[in-house]
Amino acid sequence: MPHTSRGRWAAGIATAAAIAAAGAIIAVETGRRDGTHGRASTPSTSRSAAAPAAPTAFRLPIALQVQANPYSAVPAAAVVSLSTLGIKVSQSRFAAKMHMTRQGEYDGEDFYGAVNRYLHDTPYQVNNVGGPDSEPDFVMREVAYDVGVLQRAPMLSVWGERLPWHKGTERGRKVDHMVVAVGYDRSKGTVTVFDPWPDTGGVRTLPVATLARTLQIGGLYFIYQRSWSWETTTPTASPRLSPGGGPR
């Protein structure tokens, strides 16, 4: 999220560095800037009925890292997600692979393609669904499968100002941001996400209904195994976006 002050950003980085020095699982890494979602399938896209059932609750024990600067939420989220698939890449390297400009702009298709190129030699691939009309049950089902069955961390493109912990801290509307789902609890109706923003982010748990309302169109990047049977839908067009949110 680019809407911040230098003082708040410096304080957030200092806090994250202190946590890392104390031996926690958060680390600061240099990188570049960010953007938003890739191509979107309609919210009806889902796993086949043959998919294994997810446990009632699960939390991934994974290493996390905050974004390197006010514009690098997407590379940071991608790095965390890819790490759960056994792939190591830096924020700066991923930003280059998705052709992110020095001004923090990129094409959603380039982001989508970059993620799947890193997954080329694995049995996995990502697709993206969701949007304003996503039902909470749908979001929970997809997150629970990725986290609880595959034990991988899906990415979610969100509007930053809609996240409860950013309320009142962002100027304007549709502030582009990305988080990573790292846990869920179906009995409580909650999802745990990692927000790479170092100031007010971190590991946060929120109702799945609240999370569903934060999603951008095509904002839920679910992970699947290519050998499985899937329903198919026609992807919607992906606009080119700038770090503040709206299409160029």
Side-chain angles (χ1 to χ4, degrees):
M1 296 185 301
H3 303 301
T4 186
S5 68
R6 291 183 181 273
R8 284 180 56 211
W9 176 257
I13 289 292
T15 299
I19 293 172
I25 57 175
I26 297 177
V28 179
E29 177 179 321
T30 57
R32 292 176 67 180
R33 301 177 181 240
D34 86 11
T36 189
H37 57 79
R39 63 180 185 177
S41 299
T42 62
S44 63
T45 301
S46 182
R47 304 180 194 282
S48 72
T56 301
F58 195 80
R59 171 72 180 275
L60 284 170
I62 63 174
L64 308 171
Q65 61 178 263
V66 298
Q67 60 192 84
N69 60 49
Y71 302 97
S72 59
V74 170
V79 167
V80 171
S81 179
L82 288 171
S83 73
T84 66
L85 291 142
I87 297 169
K88 294 182 179 180
V89 59
S90 68
Q91 291 184 36
S92 58
R93 180 65 174 167
F94 187 86
K97 286 289 187 180
M98 60 183 284
H99 307 299
M100 183 174 286
T101 71
R102 298 185 67 178
Q103 292 74 36
E105 298 177 349
Y106 68 92
D107 192 294
E109 292 288 347
D110 288 337
F111 168 74
Y112 183 88
V115 173
N116 280 315
R117 281 194 295 275
Y118 275 107
L119 298 180
H120 182 268
D121 294 327
T122 77
Y124 300 101
Q125 190 169 343
V126 299
N127 196 359
N128 60 319
V129 296
D133 54 349
S134 290
E135 293 295 329
D137 287 348
F138 174 83
V139 175
M140 176 63 81
R141 181 170 66 250
E142 300 303 314
V143 168
Y145 184 84
D146 281 356
V147 174
V149 177
L150 296 183
Q151 297 188 15
R152 315 298 182 188
M155 298 168 286
L156 300 100
S157 287
V158 299
W159 298 122
E161 77 281 1
R162 296 183 186 178
L163 293 169
W165 49 92
H166 292 309
K167 187 176 182 179
T169 66
E170 297 303 322
R171 299 190 301 273
R173 299 175 59 188
K174 293 192 173 181
V175 179
D176 178 62
H177 196 45
M178 184 170 278
V179 299
V180 183
V182 297
Y184 67 92
D185 189 325
R186 279 178 160 167
S187 65
K188 297 179 180 178
T190 59
V191 173
T192 299
V193 301
F194 172 65
D195 182 340
W197 187 251
D199 187 10
T200 51
V203 177
R204 300 277 190 162
T205 298
L206 72 166
V208 66
T210 301
L211 179 61
R213 288 193 295 270
T214 72
L215 286 177
Q216 298 182 30
I217 296 173
L220 173 55
Y221 285 88
F222 66 90
I223 301 165
Y224 66 95
Q225 291 174 284
R226 284 189 288 263
S227 60
W228 285 31
S229 173
W230 291 80
E231 300 172 16
T232 58
T233 56
T234 302
T236 57
S238 175
R240 183 174 179 85
L241 288 101
S242 59
R248 296 183 62 199

